[in-house]
């Protein structure tokens, strides 16, 4: 336990100002998303812009590329929440996916995980290629769900954030694991808040 605490303290001391700013905007993104506030996409854009640069500077090319995707999806998400409804005068409402849509999402995530996990295992020294791939592709699909205000996105995030906590803890990235734990808690809050809002839409 003392070794873990020491590692956390050391990681905190090594954390840059840009990482702190990115973390703050990441939390702001989730809090605003829970409230269905389109400003969440501004916070998300700043958060992922900083992370894309930090990961690139650290030679983490795949993580940097993922955050470039998040940058683009933040722009689309803002547009979709404001103009993606069939009724042009209304913001996009919360919606639910039917079972076939969830099955397509699951098959897509598993399929891409097997492909990229196999490639990473065969061509790199990745420690946990399949878990890393699973959380990455899960995040890609789930972020798309957020742009369409799919209620179940919060359940998906609970699964992938739980896996990410284990992934980062195993990699001894304790501060990032803590961040994922906070995200997990906010995903639970988001589920109940959006579920309540969805039920009010039906009345």
């Amino acid at each position: 336990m003392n070794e873990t605490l020491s590692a956390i303290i050391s990681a905190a001391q090594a954390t840059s100002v840009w990482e702190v700013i990115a973390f703050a905007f990441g939390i702001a993104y989730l809090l605003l998303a829970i409230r269905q506030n389109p400003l969440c996409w501004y916070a998300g854009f700043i958060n992922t812009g900083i992370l894309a640069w930090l990961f690139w500077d650290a030679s983490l090319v795949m993580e940097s590329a993922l955050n470039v995707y998040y940058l683009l999806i933040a722009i689309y998400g803002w547009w979709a929440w404001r103009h993606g409804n069939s009724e042009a005068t209304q913001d996009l409402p919360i919606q639910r996916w039917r079972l076939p849509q969830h099955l397509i999402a699951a098959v897509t995530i598993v399929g891409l995980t097997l492909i990229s996990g196999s490639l990473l295992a065969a061509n790199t020294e990745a420690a946990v290629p399949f878990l890393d791939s699973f959380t990455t592709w899960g995040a890609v699909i789930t972020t798309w769900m957020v742009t369409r205000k799919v209620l179940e996105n919060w359940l998906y995030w609970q699964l992938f954030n739980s896996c990410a906590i284990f992934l980062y803890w195993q990699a001894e990235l304790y501060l990032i694991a803590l961040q994922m734990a906070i995200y997990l808690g906010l995903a639970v809050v988001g589920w109940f808040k959006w579920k309540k809002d969805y039920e009010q839409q039906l009345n």
Side-chain angles (χ1 to χ4, degrees):
M1 180 62 70
N2 289 334
E3 292 181 0
T4 300
L5 181 59
S6 297
I8 293 175
I9 293 174
S10 297
Q13 292 173 339
T15 300
S16 71
V17 174
W18 285 111
E19 289 177 85
V20 174
I21 294 173
F23 174 79
F25 275 101
I27 297 297
Y29 161 76
L30 281 176
L31 292 175
L32 290 167
I34 288 172
R35 298 177 62 85
Q36 297 187 65
N37 189 326
L39 289 176
C40 71
W41 298 110
Y42 290 93
F45 187 89
I46 295 172
N47 166 259
T48 55
I50 294 172
L51 289 178
W53 171 68
L54 289 175
F55 285 136
W56 180 265
D57 189 58
S59 298
L60 296 173
V61 179
M62 290 303 296
E63 291 293 331
S64 181
L66 178 61
N67 277 275
V68 170
Y69 163 78
Y70 286 151
L71 275 173
L72 298 175
I73 209 71
I75 297 171
Y76 172 74
W78 176 87
W79 179 88
W81 278 28
R82 298 300 301 272
H83 308 288
N85 188 15
S86 57
E87 297 291 336
T89 59
Q90 298 179 2
D91 290 344
L92 185 69
I94 297 172
Q95 55 188 306
R96 302 200 69 166
W97 272 3
R98 297 182 182 276
L99 180 59
Q101 293 168 295
H102 288 295
L103 289 176
I104 291 172
V107 170
T108 300
I109 292 170
V110 172
L112 291 172
T113 295
L114 293 175
I115 293 171
S116 62
S118 297
L119 290 172
L120 288 173
N123 300 290
T124 73
E125 297 181 358
V128 280
F130 290 97
L131 181 59
D132 192 8
S133 295
F134 180 67
T135 56
T136 297
W137 291 116
V140 167
I141 298 298
T142 308
T143 303
W144 169 257
M145 294 172 68
V146 178
T147 69
R148 303 308 306 166
K149 282 194 180 180
V150 178
L151 173 61
E152 291 84 4
N153 89 83
W154 297 109
L155 298 180
Y156 280 56
W157 280 129
Q158 289 171 39
L159 170 61
F160 297 122
N161 285 336
S162 297
C163 293
I165 291 171
F166 176 78
L167 177 67
Y168 292 130
W169 189 270
Q170 288 292 103
E172 299 183 355
L173 298 171
Y174 300 118
L175 289 180
I176 298 179
L178 174 60
Q179 179 178 329
M180 291 299 106
I182 294 172
Y183 285 1
L184 174 60
L186 290 176
V188 174
V189 174
W191 162 257
F192 285 107
K193 177 64 169 61
W194 276 32
K195 189 172 185 292
K196 179 180 178 181
D197 292 345
Y198 176 76
E199 291 170 349
Q200 290 178 344
Q201 286 179 188
L202 301 178
N203 296 329

